[in-house]
Amino acid sequence: MKRSRGLSAALALTLAAGLGAVAAPQATALTPPVAFTADDLPTWQTNGIVWAMAQAGGVVFAGGTFSAVRPPEGGSGTERQALNFVALDAATGAPTDCRLSFTVSSGTATVRALAVSPDQRTLYAGGYFGAVNGKPVSSAAAIDIATCTPKDGFHAAFPATVRALAVTDDTVYAGGDFGTVNGQTRQRYAAVDATTGALRPFRTDVDEPGRAIEISPDGRHALIGGDFFTVNGASSHALAVVDATTGANVRTYPGFIMNSSVVKDIDTDATGFYTANEGTGGFDGRIALELSTLDERWRDTCLGATQAVESHKGVLYSASHAHDCGLVGEFPDGRRYHFLAQPTTSVGKLGWFPDTNDGIGEGIGPRVMTIAAKDGVEYLWSGGEFTTVNGAPAQGLTRFASTGDTGRPTVPVASAASVKPGEIHVRWRTSLDLDDSRLTYKVYRDGAAAPIATVTAESLPWHRPQASFTDKGLSPGSTHTYRITATDGAGNVSGLSATVSATAAVSAQPYASQVVADGATLYWRYDDTVTPYTADTSNGDTSGLQSGGPSQGQPGVVADGSKSFGFDGTDAKVYSDRRVTVGDAYTIETWFKTTTSRGGKLIGFGNNTTRNSGRYDKHIYMNNWGQLYYGAYDGGTRYLSTWNRYNDGKWHHVVGTQGPSGMTLYVDGQRVGGNSYSGHERYAGYWHIGGDAVGNWPSRPSSNYFAGQLDETAVYPTALTATQVANHYARASQQGDTVTTVAPAADTYVNGSSTGTNYGTGTSLAVRGSAAYETYLRFTLPAAPAGTRLSGAALEVRTDSSSTAGSTDPVLVRPITGAWTETGVTYATKPALGTGVVGTLTPPTGASSGASVQLDRTAVAAALGGDYSLALTGEGTDALWLWSSEAPASGGTPKLVLTFSPL
């Protein structure tokens, strides 16, 4: 029990007055209705475990099993003795002058429960101890808050550990391990007078320890939780509601909570009460119940030993080590989340994810929570056995405020590609912010200061789907760079993403454009060069995450020159970054190339991510002999297979479809089998490429993981027709655009104010009309590939880092007709220029920015297969400074980007 509840509106006003008349502001920077940032504040630390908390008047009381407290990591001050108790300023996190020592003559003293009276004057403590500041007590004590001294008149004797406390105006309720109180039988629950400690008539006997007790807001009922199986002789495991005066049963819950689960904490608000459950291989989550009916409102079946719950302004905060919320449609079994927030009306998690480690002792993490207010700011405090908070050292205690969100979102991981003429698909993995689930992304093109697009998207730690923007109306063949930022509700901005670039297609890519046109909602092309993000080229934004290190940059199957991923057959795979469900019809498609003799899964659907799934079907796998199996589960294993073997080191295309008419398997564009089974197992899960469980499906391979290359993986919400499948197979060999980048063989500039100087070894290039600078570039151009024509030629440049690098004056691109050398040319010996202009560059106006200009294709095409020299000249007075190819920071410019399209 963390704090007492008022019995009336008057008491609620008294409590508010004790905390100050100014209401704490809601943190508007946060994703509503979350009230606290995830940024932990500097807080003094313990050298042991904190088991109990309470608060009064801006002071937080913490009890547990520890002997000292010390300043925050890096903070000033020295360690001081604190025998199982410390009082701390809610706003600063530092100890107050109140010092209490809880000791015992034999064994280990511990404070396990703290509660404050409704008038905020008395702190009650329970646990296992025999003295407070040397004054003899028996596992329970009343402390005068104003003087920080034990009250002489309170004499309640508990011969065993007290684990829970609740307080009303005149009564202290206790739960724990005891069998008697003040020498009279009370089996694990009791009530005593708040002033004297004399035993009250209240009697609720249970057969196993009591761990939680809370009084309903109207004062009529006591809500109890613990390990017990019977309450006053009636069957009711772990939870019951009893009369607050007599202790008689009001509501029992036989069979409501499984026998392997216990209730560790209970909290209430105006309409409901909430349990924190810990189980052994069973129920570990939270239950919300209605105070009006005492019936269940919802049940959260996340696994992970919930220790504490705290209801505040419509949000239930919980302390646990949740590691599997798959049964409520959230993260599968994997990493641990030690703090969660959810509406008091439902199980769905809100965007608040500060974290601790498991820590010492049992390795549970946080054990208790309370909320305190001071000077108009609210603070959520937590104690436990953790030793880190948000990845930094912090032991036993931490706190979070209702204001002051300073945490920046993580940097987006971006990608860009073009499959349609004049369009570039910019996409990125959504960022993570620990207290904002709804972030705003800005897309910047070619280094410009103003964004070209603003996109809002939701993300959670286990759900960071792709967001995207299609940049349309671009000149076919033009190359553009992009960077992305993420901004949270407080205005905290992430760093810029790494620069990504793409060339707008001149003609539609034959294979990729058809996959998109046929309605793919997942399309992984494997052209990615970063980890762990795998971009989705479809409109479904179903990006993937790489696991186990698949190798990037392998030669791909499609004639447009795209790449593939290599998989090692041990642990490498890619899985979707978003949990989805599969409808009545679907298609799975991929290309593969292998010589493996151990088989493995190529593509499939499963209910886990990095771990092997417990539920899995809608999959294609290879057996040890190279035969393919496509299967779905509808209560039985329904499958199709091939006679031929496909582990021959060649690229092959495999497609599985299922719909109302049944299942069909295609290989290399041809139908190889079908059946009438239209059902598959219905569950929410993730797409897996390269590996997942195969279990006991027919002809099970030696390995769950595939060794070989995979490319052009797609999933559709429809069953593709035989014609569509054959079309995909044929289009893979059709030539699309070929993009070739050419770096300069020579580059330099000349200066009209220094006519005899050569700048050929410098890292900068310059253009200006007066006083004149001219830049010269020479490229050795390839011949057009057979069967193609030059369809686009773009010159790309990048300003250097000087403050005056950008220019507002247009730059003319002109052919050079005279001879020149990089190391010999000066303004006095500058070459002759042609009379025509092959392009006009609009330069960047700022430093470290890129720009490109489309050049006259006819002029460039005439020079293919030989050297081609260009001059950059200006007519204005605003100098443009560019990086030369010798500059390490040039970003690969200047360069020519040549696009060749099929004849």
Side-chain angles (χ1 to χ4, degrees), residues 236-252:
S236 189
H237 174 54
L239 180 67
V241 179
V242 299
D243 186 275
T245 301
T246 66
N249 291 350
V250 173
R251 177 69 177 269
T252 56

Side-chain angles (χ1 to χ4, degrees), residues 82-131:
L83 296 181
N84 305 306
F85 177 87
V86 63
L88 304 114
D89 186 288
T92 68
T96 69
D97 293 334
C98 177
R99 299 194 183 194
L100 298 171
S101 296
F102 289 77
T103 57
V104 69
S105 59
S106 63
T108 301
T110 184
V111 175
R112 293 300 180 105
L114 293 170
V116 172
S117 62
D119 63 9
Q120 304 278 284
R121 294 179 179 179
T122 305
L123 170 68
Y124 294 90
Y128 179 71
F129 46 85

Side-chain angles (χ1 to χ4, degrees), residues 635-716:
T637 53
R638 314 305 182 187
Y639 67 95
L640 300 167
S641 62
T642 67
W643 286 102
N644 292 336
R645 302 177 180 182
Y646 296 95
N647 54 349
D648 55 6
K650 299 178 182 179
W651 280 109
H652 295 284
H653 180 230
V654 60
V655 177
T657 72
Q658 187 176 33
S661 61
M663 302 170 63
T664 307
L665 175 63
Y666 302 87
V667 179
D668 293 339
Q670 300 294 316
R671 182 181 185 277
V672 296
N675 61 38
S676 60
Y677 292 109
S678 60
H680 59 83
E681 190 171 11
R682 300 305 179 100
Y683 56 94
Y686 308 84
W687 291 106
H688 295 251
I689 310 301
D692 196 15
V694 178
N696 293 317
W697 279 72
S699 198
R700 186 191 189 285
S702 299
S703 174
N704 288 335
Y705 290 87
F706 176 76
Q709 291 171 247
L710 292 168
D711 198 9
E712 306 295 329
T713 301
V715 176
Y716 307 78

Side-chain angles (χ1 to χ4, degrees), residues 472-796:
K472 299 181 178 181
L474 303 172
S475 297
S478 62
T479 300
H480 299 277
T481 61
Y482 300 89
R483 302 186 81 178
I484 320 293
T485 62
T487 306
D488 68 12
N492 300 307
V493 184
S494 75
L496 282 162
S497 70
T499 300
V500 295
S501 65
T503 300
V506 174
S507 57
Q509 294 188 19
Y511 186 87
S513 63
Q514 192 62 55
V515 170
V516 173
D518 284 341
T521 52
L522 178 158
Y523 182 22
W524 297 344
R525 305 207 68 197
Y526 306 111
D527 293 329
D528 308 281
T529 58
V530 296
T531 56
Y533 172 61
T534 298
D536 181 13
T537 300
S538 82
N539 295 322
D541 283 335
T542 311
S543 54
L545 289 180
Q546 301 159 36
S547 175
S551 57
Q552 301 173 340
Q554 303 294 309
V557 63
V558 179
D560 62 16
S562 66
K563 303 301 182 182
S564 67
F565 275 7
F567 295 80
D568 60 12
T570 301
D571 61 356
K573 65 178 178 180
V574 181
Y575 59 89
S576 57
D577 205 3
R578 179 170 60 188
R579 198 168 185 259
V580 298
T581 56
V582 180
D584 293 337
Y586 66 90
T587 296
I588 51 178
E589 172 183 43
T590 196
W591 289 79
F592 67 93
K593 179 180 179 181
T594 185
T595 58
T596 185
S597 60
R598 300 180 67 243
K601 183 170 289 191
L602 282 69
I603 179 173
F605 194 71
N607 68 341
N608 214 308
T609 53
T610 56
R611 303 184 183 185
N612 280 335
S613 297
R615 303 173 74 180
Y616 46 90
D617 74 334
K618 297 173 279 294
H619 57 185
I620 296 172
Y621 62 92
M622 178 178 284
N623 68 11
N624 293 349
W625 297 274
Q627 295 164 314
L628 297 171
Y629 283 73
Y630 162 49
Y633 184 79
D634 63 357
T637 53
R638 314 305 182 187
Y639 67 95
L640 300 167
S641 62
T642 67
W643 286 102
N644 292 336
R645 302 177 180 182
Y646 296 95
N647 54 349
D648 55 6
K650 299 178 182 179
W651 280 109
H652 295 284
H653 180 230
V654 60
V655 177
T657 72
Q658 187 176 33
S661 61
M663 302 170 63
T664 307
L665 175 63
Y666 302 87
V667 179
D668 293 339
Q670 300 294 316
R671 182 181 185 277
V672 296
N675 61 38
S676 60
Y677 292 109
S678 60
H680 59 83
E681 190 171 11
R682 300 305 179 100
Y683 56 94
Y686 308 84
W687 291 106
H688 295 251
I689 310 301
D692 196 15
V694 178
N696 293 317
W697 279 72
S699 198
R700 186 191 189 285
S702 299
S703 174
N704 288 335
Y705 290 87
F706 176 76
Q709 291 171 247
L710 292 168
D711 198 9
E712 306 295 329
T713 301
V715 176
Y716 307 78
T718 59
L720 294 184
T721 66
T723 300
Q724 287 174 309
V725 172
N727 188 27
H728 288 196
Y729 179 70
R731 280 177 173 262
S733 59
Q734 293 179 14
Q735 182 69 48
D737 292 346
T738 300
V739 179
T740 301
T741 300
V742 184
D747 60 353
T748 188
Y749 75 98
V750 295
N751 181 355
S753 298
S754 183
T755 58
T757 303
N758 172 264
Y759 298 93
T761 59
T763 59
S764 291
L765 304 171
V767 183
R768 184 170 61 188
S770 177
Y773 297 134
E774 293 183 358
T775 282
Y776 304 138
L777 308 168
R778 177 182 293 118
F779 298 92
T780 300
L781 303 184
T788 70
R789 59 178 176 82
L790 182 70
S791 55
L795 173 66
E796 296 184 15

